[in-house]
Amino acid sequence: MSTSGLKAISPVPTAADFLDIVLSKTQRKTPTVIHKNFKISRIRNFYMRKVKFTQDSFDEKLSAILEEFPMLDDIHPFLSSLMNVLYDKNHYKLALGQLRTARHLIDQVAKDYVRLLKFGDSLYRCKQLKRAALGRMATIMRRQKDPLAYLEQVRQHISRLPNIDPTARTLLICGYPNVGKSSFINKVTRADVDVQPYAFTTKSLFVGHLDYRYMRWQVIDTPGILDHPLEDMNTIEMQSITALAHLKSCVLYFMDLSEQCGYSIEAQCKLYHSIKPLFANKPTMLVINKIDVTRLDDLSPENRALVEEIINSEGAMHVQVSCYTDEGVMELKNKACDALLEHRVDQKLKGNKINSILNRLHVAQPKARDDLVREPFIPEAIKERKKFDMNDPDRPRLEKDIEAEEGGPGVYNINLRKNYMLANPEWKMDVIPEIMDGKNVADFIDPDILEKLEALEREEEKLQAEGFYDSEEDMFDSDDEREAVEAKVSRQHKLVSQSGKKAMKNQAKLPRTVGLRTITELTSELTKAGLDPSRIQERAERLAKIAGAKRKRQREEEEAEMDVDEDKAAEDEDEWMDVDGEERPTPSKRAKANSGAVITKGKLPRTDRRLGGMRDEAQASKAIKLRDLSHRSRNMQAKAGESDRAIKTKMPKHLFAGKRKMGKTNRR
């Protein structure tokens, strides 16, 4: 858990606001109308509901506060110690404990008064018991004025803390005040820490972030520490001590050899030795800052011996930097990050988890297949490239320079053709046509197209010589083979016809004028083309005679069928007459009654296709009713149009009048 998780705590209301919220909610969410002539059981339930609702509201609010504030024993030791330094652990626990006790007392008060209300014998007695219960609850909450105010101050201060992740890769900067710690974090990160020429400018922890080896690192700037016992340190210094004690990081101890910070070199060395136990199991770097003023070689022998004692005896790496001239700043950042990475890997290798991981790893080592030495190959064009200074007037022109000369970004359009490698450099800017001499140029891009064409022609000549394109009569060796092929083709045609529209989707459509051309037009066009249309005219006359005879025969058959149907209809009407003389519905009448439509005069159909697929007459009549219902006019439904929702009452009284009841109000 990081400090960012502590910033989602909701605001804590004061004791007065707490009472206003809960009591007004009780008044809004519970019924308010009661009469003395109601049954006593109803009166009791009315006031018991008030007391229970008030108790639930207090319990909900207090439980939310207790759950959002973290328990110091359940969070990271760094966060626990930091909250202890900033807010006093005992005071913090006492405030949460008082709220927890208040919640318990309110539950007990509600429980007691609900028991008493069960035996209330009048409206007045029940009302007084309710007032006493709510009054005692309010008294308990008024006593929590100080804990609530304290927790609100804690919440506001936590929200202003920087986001510190105790498990992230961290560079921790420490040292005496005014030795250049904040200047370094401003150089390597985007943090904007205030820098002033006096001590204790930094009074709390500041965090910046940087990227190194495609990983995110956090840099923590701590307030300055003075060399005195731990019990004499104030809250500002204790923040630094807490970070040093609990964060797994690379420690950068800054020293100012010029003594411009106001503290001697001897005092800075003593501070290092006094807080050295906090550096255990952490990579440590001694940073000698402000070398633009004084370097290590410029010190007196006594002071230099003190510094070299730390370097030699402790084994700490040392780097000399100057945040004013940026000398050594990037080197310090790289060394610190590499040291921390190496330390983290060593710690993981010493742990128990590494064994389960190493068992699943296999590093493949390639075996040499011969004794030949294969040195790396570097093209000559790459070797000839030299590093050049951007301010050198003789350096080669870059694409960036051309872009700046021709209008800058958004205006300059790069010429991609200038790097084409062609046989003739003059061809680079030639326009490539798409169509030339009526032919698509893309068809002639292939340089071997002529050879492929010749090979294709030779293959065609070979097929012709072998008789591949002879007539179909010579394709089959026997009549059995011909019959088998014809059966297969007919079977394929049958499958295609059964496959439906999807298979016929790509079939070529006939022109619209295919049936509108007369024999006279066809013969005249054939005559103009130099062809003899006599055979077509004879065939058309023969087909016309056949079609006329066929139509005449169809008319005669239809007339005969109509006579037979009329005789059959008359017989059916006689059969459907009852013995008592009552008329039964004939098939024609039955179809008319079922369909609800009028059948025109003429030949009656053998079956009513509108009722096809129905199981019986009951199912058919039901389908007809549903059809007629869907055809009902819009006016029958009292609608003005298709978009009319028929809202009869714009403001129903039960939604817009009277007191709002318990429950959600999103229905409005």
Side-chain angles (χ1 to χ4, degrees):
M1 182 180 182
S2 64
T3 53
S4 60
L6 303 176
K7 297 187 177 184
I9 302 175
S10 303
V12 180
T14 62
D17 293 341
F18 214 108
L19 291 177
D20 290 343
I21 292 170
V22 173
L23 296 180
S24 63
K25 184 178 180 182
T26 304
Q27 186 72 2
R28 285 185 292 109
K29 297 287 189 178
T30 57
T32 56
V33 179
I34 192 73
H35 297 291
K36 61 181 179 180
N37 55 355
F38 285 173
K39 291 176 65 176
I40 189 64
S41 59
R42 182 176 178 182
I43 295 172
R44 290 170 185 163
N45 290 334
F46 178 85
Y47 287 109
M48 286 165 61
R49 181 177 181 181
K50 293 268 187 186
V51 174
K52 287 182 178 179
F53 189 87
T54 307
Q55 175 218 345
D56 291 341
S57 300
F58 276 118
D59 191 274
E60 178 186 355
K61 289 286 183 182
L62 291 172
S63 298
I65 294 173
L66 293 172
E67 289 175 3
E68 287 185 336
F69 279 91
M71 299 296 295
L72 297 184
D73 298 335
D74 299 338
I75 59 178
H76 194 275
F78 165 70
L79 300 177
S80 178
S81 299
L82 185 63
M83 293 185 69
N84 181 26
V85 169
L86 295 175
Y87 315 123
D88 188 1
K89 178 169 64 175
N90 295 330
H91 198 172
Y92 178 81
K93 288 186 175 181
L94 185 62
L96 293 180
Q98 287 176 330
L99 292 187
R100 194 173 288 107
T101 304
R103 182 179 63 178
H104 176 69
L105 290 176
I106 288 174
D107 292 345
Q108 289 299 322
V109 167
K111 183 178 179 182
D112 295 340
Y113 277 88
V114 166
R115 188 184 297 115
L116 294 174
L117 279 168
K118 289 181 180 179
F119 302 99
D121 56 357
S122 64
L123 173 64
Y124 178 77
R125 191 179 298 276
C126 291
K127 183 176 181 180
Q128 293 304 105
L129 287 172
K130 185 266 297 184
R131 288 185 61 187
L134 268 59
R136 289 189 62 182
M137 293 181 192
T139 303
I140 293 171
M141 280 311 303
R142 286 196 189 95
R143 292 174 184 166
Q144 310 308 316
K145 175 182 177 183
D146 293 337
L148 292 173
Y150 167 78
L151 290 175
E152 174 61 14
Q153 292 295 323
V154 171
R155 185 199 68 82
Q156 292 179 6
H157 192 274
I158 286 178
S159 66
R160 293 193 290 268
L161 286 178
N163 292 338
I164 300 176
D165 187 359
T167 60
R169 305 172 191 87
T170 305
L171 304 181
L172 192 60
I173 307 171
C174 64
Y176 259 95
N178 205 22
V179 294
K181 301 187 296 297
S182 300
S183 300
F184 175 74
I185 191 175
N186 288 343
K187 289 290 183 182
V188 298
T189 69
R190 298 181 63 185
D192 187 14
V193 184
D194 188 21
V195 177
Q196 297 295 339
Y198 50 82
F200 287 107
T201 307
T202 303
K203 297 181 181 179
S204 62
L205 300 177
F206 284 89
V207 180
H209 294 85
L210 58 88
D211 289 330
Y212 180 72
R213 290 191 179 183
Y214 304 102
M215 293 181 288
R216 179 55 60 93
W217 300 68
Q218 68 178 2
V219 186
I220 299 180
D221 179 21
T222 62
I225 309 171
L226 299 180
D227 185 19
H228 50 225
L230 196 63
E231 56 271 11
D232 296 338
M233 292 186 179
N234 57 20
T235 303
I236 296 175
E237 295 174 282
M238 284 303 298
Q239 295 181 55
S240 301
I241 298 299
T242 302
L244 287 170
H246 295 288
L247 291 179
K248 295 180 179 179
S249 60
C250 178
V251 179
L252 308 181
Y253 183 80
F254 272 66
M255 289 184 65
D256 179 10
L257 300 185
S258 66
E259 299 183 355
Q260 290 182 351
C261 61
Y263 304 97
S264 64
I265 297 175
E266 183 180 0
Q268 297 179 52
C269 293
K270 284 183 179 180
L271 176 63
Y272 181 90
H273 290 296
S274 63
I275 64 174
K276 186 182 69 172
L278 300 175
F279 302 160
N281 297 325
K282 295 176 187 174
T284 307
M285 301 197 71
L286 181 65
V287 182
I288 299 173
N289 197 13
K290 302 183 183 179
I291 59 173
D292 56 307
V293 180
T294 304
R295 293 180 177 269
L296 182 60
D297 299 334
D298 301 336
L299 294 180
S300 62
E302 296 81 6
N303 291 335
R304 183 172 180 178
L306 293 174
V307 177
E308 290 182 348
E309 180 185 358
I310 296 175
I311 297 172
N312 298 329
S313 63
E314 308 299 335
M317 296 179 287
H318 75 286
V319 180
Q320 300 188 50
V321 301
S322 173
C323 296
Y324 180 74
T325 61
D326 292 347
E327 180 183 351
V329 172
M330 290 299 110
E331 179 188 358
L332 172 59
K333 182 195 79 170
N334 297 340
K335 281 188 176 182
C337 293
D338 291 336
L340 182 58
L341 281 179
E342 184 178 353
H343 176 75
R344 287 166 68 97
V345 172
D346 292 341
Q347 291 297 112
K348 290 178 181 178
L349 290 174
K350 293 177 183 178
N352 296 327
K353 294 182 180 179
I354 192 64
N355 296 327
S356 60
I357 297 174
L358 288 177
N359 292 334
R360 299 197 300 266
L361 294 178
H362 172 67
V363 180
Q365 296 291 342
K367 295 181 179 179
R369 61 188 178 190
D370 50 31
D371 298 333
L372 185 62
V373 178
R374 294 177 174 84
E375 297 180 353
F377 173 71
I378 303 176
E380 294 297 330
I382 302 298
K383 290 182 179 179
E384 293 176 358
R385 292 183 182 179
K386 299 179 182 179
K387 292 185 179 180
F388 50 84
D389 186 9
M390 293 297 292
N391 299 322
D392 186 6
D394 299 331
R395 66 176 175 81
R397 293 177 73 240
L398 303 177
E399 197 71 28
K400 186 176 182 181
D401 302 329
I402 302 174
E403 180 186 29
E405 292 175 1
E406 299 189 9
V411 178
Y412 171 66
N413 189 11
I414 186 172
N415 184 8
L416 300 177
R417 295 188 177 186
K418 65 182 180 182
N419 296 322
Y420 284 1
M421 293 183 293
L422 303 176
N424 187 355
E426 297 178 357
W427 297 345
K428 289 183 180 179
M429 302 304 168
D430 291 350
V431 179
I432 302 176
E434 296 183 4
I435 304 296
M436 180 181 290
D437 299 333
K439 298 178 181 178
N440 191 351
V441 176
D443 297 338
F444 301 92
I445 297 281
D446 191 354
D448 302 330
I449 189 169
L450 296 178
E451 297 179 3
K452 294 179 180 178
L453 181 61
E454 292 178 1
L456 189 62
E457 291 176 352
R458 288 195 297 271
E459 184 180 358
E460 290 294 318
E461 292 175 358
K462 182 180 178 181
L463 291 174
Q464 287 179 358
E466 293 175 354
F468 184 79
Y469 297 115
D470 293 346
S471 61
E472 293 183 359
E473 297 177 357
D474 302 333
M475 289 176 62
F476 305 104
D477 297 337
S478 63
D479 294 340
D480 295 339
E481 185 178 353
R482 179 188 298 275
E483 292 175 0
V485 171
E486 291 177 353
K488 183 177 180 180
V489 171
S490 63
R491 190 161 58 251
Q492 290 178 349
H493 284 309
K494 187 177 180 180
L495 291 174
V496 170
S497 62
Q498 291 177 356
S499 62
K501 294 182 179 179
K502 186 174 181 181
M504 306 295 288
K505 180 173 61 174
N506 297 326
Q507 185 179 12
K509 303 294 187 297
L510 292 174
R512 293 184 179 181
T513 58
V514 68
L516 303 180
R517 186 175 297 175
T518 61
I519 291 295
T520 306
E521 294 175 353
L522 185 62
T523 54
S524 62
E525 290 181 3
L526 290 174
T527 305
K528 289 180 182 179
L531 301 175
D532 184 13
S534 58
R535 292 184 61 190
I536 295 177
Q537 288 178 336
E538 293 175 1
R539 188 163 182 258
E541 292 173 358
R542 187 169 64 254
L543 290 175
K545 290 179 181 179
I546 294 172
K550 186 176 181 180
R551 284 196 296 273
K552 182 178 179 181
R553 187 166 58 253
Q554 282 180 345
R555 279 198 305 272
E556 293 175 354
E557 291 176 355
E558 289 175 356
E559 290 175 358
E561 287 180 358
M562 289 178 63
D563 295 339
V564 172
D565 290 339
E566 288 177 359
D567 295 340
K568 188 176 180 181
E571 293 175 2
D572 291 341
E573 289 180 0
D574 295 340
E575 290 176 0
W576 278 84
M577 296 296 293
D578 197 2
V579 292
D580 297 332
E582 296 180 0
E583 183 179 355
R584 286 187 178 181
T586 62
S588 60
K589 292 182 179 180
R590 190 165 70 249
K592 184 188 298 182
N594 290 340
S595 63
V598 178
I599 303 232
T600 57
K601 293 180 180 180
K603 176 186 173 184
L604 291 173
R606 296 180 182 179
T607 58
D608 192 351
R609 286 184 296 177
R610 291 171 297 181
L611 306 179
M614 301 297 175
R615 185 172 59 251
D616 49 19
E617 292 185 2
Q619 190 180 30
S621 62
K622 183 177 181 181
I624 292 170
K625 285 181 181 179
L626 292 174
R627 183 199 64 190
D628 295 342
L629 184 63
S630 64
H631 293 172
R632 181 179 295 176
S633 61
R634 196 181 301 118
N635 292 338
M636 295 288 289
Q637 302 176 16
K639 288 188 177 182
E642 294 180 358
S643 63
D644 188 1
R645 292 183 296 166
I647 301 176
K648 308 295 187 303
T649 307
K650 298 296 183 184
M651 294 180 65
K653 186 173 182 180
H654 72 282
L655 289 180
F656 292 91
K659 187 162 184 66
R660 296 168 67 182
K661 302 297 188 293
M662 271 186 65
K664 299 178 181 177
T665 57
N666 54 10
R667 66 184 183 279
R668 300 190 183 194

